[in-house]
Amino acid sequence: MAGRDNVETLVVLQPIAVDTGSPDRDGMLAIANGLLVAVLVRLADPEHDNVGSWFFEVGFGRLHGKKAPTFLSLEEATRWLRRHLKLA
């Protein structure tokens, strides 16, 4: 199909509480084209250097085992997810 490389992956974020065993409980399910691909967790523990940033807790499928930076915003995380899903 011509032009398929121009189609951007639809990433939807859905809030969810995550039992991390720490104050870092605010989470987002990352869903790409209807499939759960990752869980992001907002860093809240005062011991973190980057409180308020988003941590790539776990990836599934094509993102399984990927290393990701800590994201300053959900927009930054979404861009990273789209880019790495396209490469996979």
Side-chain angles (χ1 to χ4, degrees):
M1 178 178 201
R4 188 174 180 138
D5 289 338
N6 294 339
V7 177
E8 192 170 273
T9 300
L10 175 63
V11 176
V12 176
L13 299 177
Q14 179 179 328
I16 191 162
V18 180
D19 185 3
T20 63
S22 77
D24 307 332
R25 299 185 66 102
D26 294 337
M28 290 285 178
L29 299 177
I31 302 164
N33 298 329
L35 298 172
L36 179 62
V37 295
V39 176
L40 303 170
V41 175
R42 189 175 155 276
L43 300 177
D45 191 325
E47 294 183 13
H48 293 301
D49 292 333
N50 43 4
V51 172
S53 295
W54 291 89
F55 177 72
F56 181 81
E57 188 73 31
V58 64
F60 303 102
R62 295 176 282 167
L63 297 179
H64 178 73
K66 290 270 187 198
K67 301 291 185 205
T70 302
F71 305 104
L72 297 177
S73 68
L74 289 173
E75 291 80 15
E76 185 181 324
T78 301
R79 282 192 300 273
W80 185 92
L81 289 166
R82 281 190 189 116
R83 185 171 54 252
H84 284 82
L85 286 167
K86 187 174 185 176
L87 295 175

